[in-house]
Amino acid sequence: MSDKVTNIVLVGVGGQGILLAAEILSETFMLAGFDVKKSEIHGMSQRGGSVVSHVRYGKEVFSPMVPEGEGDILFGFELMESYRYLSLLKPGGTVVVNDLCIAPPSVLVGQETYPADMALKIQELCPDCLLVDGQNLAIEAGNARAANTVLLGAVSKRLDIEEKYWVEAIEKMVPKKALEVNLKAFQMGRGLK
């Protein structure tokens, strides 16, 4: 096992399943035999505010926080939030982002406008960017709320962790009534290029 620590930053808006995705990531890495540290930042998450989670894994990890400019993967659930946190990504890092715009309260009340072309801006700054239609794939899998698991599948293909650990973690963390849809959504995400 290498001494390298892999850094993943999950960003989005409250209610998108970010914390569950971070739990599944952490569980997957632990099942694969890694030391894992996780941290979460909730900014009015119940009101559609920003949610950020850091997950770090490796042979030995000392801090749960991903230092600025050292993220290996930015795992984005919403475009503007993903753009806001690009500074955490290292040069040449990977972005896996949901092609979804959620208007913050300031936009909803007409004080501001949602920035145009967020996906294009992210792709211009990060050539290794996978734009995922998570909502539609989740609907196709059987439930729009499984978009987080579609994204998790897409992220899983960018990490050298056996699929069996991902499936075991999902089976352990997702409620039984939603398991079948989430496993299907995960496989759909794994199938993206």
Side-chain angles (χ1 to χ4, degrees), residues 31 38 89 115 171:
L31 290 168
K38 177 173 68 79
L89 199 62
E171 289 172 345

Side-chain angles (χ1 to χ4, degrees), residues 20 33 38 44 52 88 96 99 102 104 108-109 124 134 173 177:
L20 176 60
K38 177 173 68 79
M44 293 292 289
V52 181
L88 290 174
V96 175
D99 189 8
I102 298 177
L108 293 175
V109 298
E124 286 173 353
M173 308 301 293
K177 65 182 182 188

Side-chain angles (χ1 to χ4, degrees), residues 29-44:
F29 303 143
M30 285 189 283
L31 290 168
F34 292 100
D35 184 25
V36 180
K37 300 287 186 285
K38 177 173 68 79
S39 123
E40 299 162 356
I41 302 163
H42 311 255
M44 293 292 289

Side-chain angles (χ1 to χ4, degrees), residues 103-132:
S106 60
V107 171
L108 293 175
V109 298
Q111 292 175 334
E112 298 177 14
T113 58
Y114 194 95
D117 303 320
M118 291 306 307
L120 184 60
K121 289 176 183 175
I122 293 169
Q123 291 171 319
E124 286 173 353
L125 292 169
C126 302
D128 186 8
C129 177
L130 176 64
L131 190 63
V132 178

Side-chain angles (χ1 to χ4, degrees), residues 10 13 27 54 60 82 84 86 96 98 105 108 117-118 141 147 149 152-153 160 163 165 169 171 177 190:
L10 297 86
V13 173
E27 183 67 23
H54 295 223
E60 192 171 26
S82 300
R84 283 181 44 192
L86 285 176
V96 175
N98 195 12
L108 293 175
D117 303 320
M118 291 306 307
T149 317
L152 199 59
D160 192 21
E163 183 178 352
Y165 297 122
E171 289 172 345
K177 65 182 182 188
R190 280 185 67 84

Side-chain angles (χ1 to χ4, degrees), residues 146-163:
N148 61 340
T149 317
V150 170
L151 295 165
L152 199 59
V155 167
S156 76
K157 290 295 283 188
R158 280 134 189 91
L159 296 166
D160 192 21
I161 304 288
E162 288 183 63
E163 183 178 352

